[in-house]
Amino acid sequence: MSYNPLVSIVIPTFNRADKLSDAIESALNQTYKNVQVIVIDDGSTDDTAELVKKYPEVEYHWQKNGGQAAARNKGLKNAKGPILASLDSDDLWYPNFLERCVEKLESDHLDFVFANWDQDVKVGDSWDFLSGDPFLKPYHQHIKNHWSDLGNKELRNLFLKACPSPSSAVVIRKSSIVSGWDEQINIGDDWCMYLEMILTKKCKAAYTLDRLWRKRVDEINIFDGRKWSEILEFLYIADLKIKIDKFKDMLHKDELKILQRRYMASLVELSKHNLIREFNIPHSFRLLKRSFAIDIPFTLRTIPTVMMKGFASKVKNLTEKFNKQNNLTP
């Protein structure tokens, strides 16, 4: 590359001293060397501050606990480079992550790029995450020289349905960020930030299916460490309601319907959970009432679909358990 821009790497962290060293070293050991590494300590109570002292080349900033979005925003304020990358403190970049991503970002004058990863699981081997992603799969046919380009139309369609680019996967042009990460968001602050960019301007992006980093998993991950009912409650109900209110004037009628239907389906599914698992009948009906208030026919169609899906899943789990107990193969 003839142009070698400074990349500011923001590592937000909270009580991750056991894993933070690995993240820092993966950032420092990149083949792309023109970097500014910033650790934002979001009010940790472990020995994070002492650990970072082992790396004099790393900037350290402490703040009162405010969540991952607030930590990323503080990193953004301290970023000196025209390119930004946010590495979660429990994740790892492989050595060529930045070199590959910055080269694509700069050569094609893109707003952001994102890379596939090895997804750890609590039991078993890690797996290739993006290759089988149902929302991203239609764009795989356009891959050329390891990258698939996405125009604004494709980005709007994709990111209204899903977020295939968690924070550690992305390298972004700082000037493309509109207002940073929304600190009201519980889980999907990165998703909200991408949507704001995509809906505000005609963005261009690209992704690669080459696995350039590793996502590690434990019980305190913002997303992977939560129960599905919590994902529904925070990401697909509370966070989605914030996004609907925030972006409704930027969306076409059909685009708004995509978000509203995901919101209503999540309300119905969480209602089922509260009814069957928690035996909380009043709260279950309150959730259904919120869905009915938006679209009665859609809610009525969704209820049996969600119930049958849950029943099918229960039957599958019981069958697998029976086969395992009796040493049977399906």
Side-chain angles (χ1 to χ4, degrees):
M1 290 176 58
S2 57
Y3 180 46
N4 190 41
L6 177 67
V7 178
S8 295
I9 301 168
V10 176
I11 305 178
T13 190
F14 175 69
N15 288 343
R16 286 289 194 180
D18 59 328
K19 293 183 176 180
L20 179 58
S21 286
D22 293 338
I24 291 174
E25 289 175 14
S26 81
L28 294 174
N29 292 331
Q30 291 293 298
T31 55
Y32 188 93
K33 295 300 182 184
N34 192 19
V35 298
Q36 172 198 17
V37 182
I38 311 166
V39 170
I40 306 297
D41 185 347
D42 190 38
S44 296
T45 55
D46 60 8
D47 58 349
T48 291
E50 288 300 312
L51 184 147
V52 179
K53 288 179 181 178
K54 299 177 183 178
Y55 304 95
E57 63 269 66
V58 172
E59 293 181 29
Y60 173 81
H61 300 272
W62 184 92
Q63 69 172 24
K64 185 178 179 181
N65 183 254
Q68 71 274 8
R72 291 193 228 279
N73 284 331
K74 190 174 182 68
L76 178 61
K77 289 177 183 176
N78 287 277
K80 298 173 184 175
I83 296 175
L84 190 80
S86 179
L87 173 61
D88 287 350
S89 59
D90 52 336
D91 294 336
L92 301 169
W93 286 339
Y94 300 150
N96 63 340
F97 172 84
L98 279 183
E99 183 177 4
R100 292 281 309 279
C101 290
V102 173
E103 182 178 18
K104 179 64 177 178
L105 185 81
E106 289 298 290
S107 62
D108 289 7
H109 307 286
L110 304 176
D111 293 280
F112 67 97
V113 299
F114 58 98
N116 195 10
W117 65 94
D118 289 310
Q119 173 78 33
D120 283 3
V121 292
K122 292 178 181 177
V123 179
D125 298 328
S126 60
W127 56 287
D128 174 335
F129 195 92
L130 287 185
S131 292
D133 186 297
F135 298 102
L136 203 59
K137 212 164 187 177
Y139 306 105
H140 293 352
Q141 60 185 312
H142 303 303
I143 292 175
K144 184 179 180 180
N145 296 325
H146 299 273
W147 291 92
S148 179
D149 296 333
L150 300 168
N152 190 249
K153 182 179 179 181
E154 291 84 7
L155 288 170
R156 287 180 77 108
N157 181 61
L158 175 62
F159 278 85
L160 283 169
K161 296 175 181 176
C163 182
S165 53
S167 294
S168 298
V170 175
V171 175
I172 191 167
R173 196 173 303 281
K174 191 166 69 172
S175 60
S176 297
I177 297 173
V178 178
S179 62
W181 289 263
D182 192 324
E183 296 178 21
Q184 298 180 78
I185 297 287
N186 297 283
I187 297 177
D189 55 293
D190 47 0
W191 191 355
C192 188
M193 189 267 286
Y194 307 139
L195 262 181
E196 184 177 40
M197 288 171 44
I198 293 162
L199 297 176
T200 301
K201 57 176 290 186
K202 290 189 175 181
C203 284
K204 295 188 298 179
Y207 72 89
T208 179
L209 290 182
D210 295 348
R211 286 173 277 176
L212 302 182
W213 64 285
R214 175 184 164 199
K215 172 167 276 300
R216 298 195 287 182
V217 173
D218 60 25
E219 290 73 20
I220 61 173
N221 286 119
I222 295 295
F223 180 90
D224 296 287
R226 294 181 185 269
K227 297 183 293 185
W228 177 241
S229 60
E230 293 176 326
I231 298 297
L232 284 171
E233 181 178 359
F234 294 117
L235 180 62
Y236 293 121
I237 295 177
D239 287 356
L240 190 49
K241 181 63 166 63
I242 292 171
K243 287 190 285 189
I244 289 171
D245 292 341
K246 185 172 184 174
F247 301 130
K248 60 184 177 183
D249 294 334
M250 302 180 188
L251 298 170
H252 307 310
K253 185 177 179 181
D254 290 343
E255 292 176 329
L256 179 60
K257 190 176 289 186
I258 291 171
L259 296 184
Q260 288 176 328
R261 287 187 168 182
R262 183 59 183 266
Y263 176 70
M264 288 185 287
S266 300
L267 286 168
V268 172
E269 189 166 351
L270 189 60
S271 171
K272 181 204 74 174
H273 173 83
N274 275 272
L275 180 65
I276 297 174
R277 296 288 184 89
E278 306 294 335
F279 306 107
N280 190 339
I281 297 174
H283 188 48
S284 176
F285 278 94
R286 283 195 295 269
L287 291 165
L288 280 181
K289 185 177 179 181
R290 287 164 62 183
S291 185
F292 279 124
I294 300 171
D295 189 328
I296 293 174
F298 179 81
T299 303
L300 289 173
R301 292 196 302 270
T302 302
I303 290 171
T305 301
V306 168
M307 290 297 183
M308 287 304 297
K309 182 181 176 183
F311 177 74
S313 177
K314 186 71 173 177
V315 170
K316 181 182 178 182
N317 290 338
L318 287 173
T319 302
E320 289 176 350
K321 185 177 180 180
F322 175 82
N323 289 339
K324 186 176 181 180
Q325 288 175 343
N326 293 277
N327 296 317
L328 299 175
T329 56

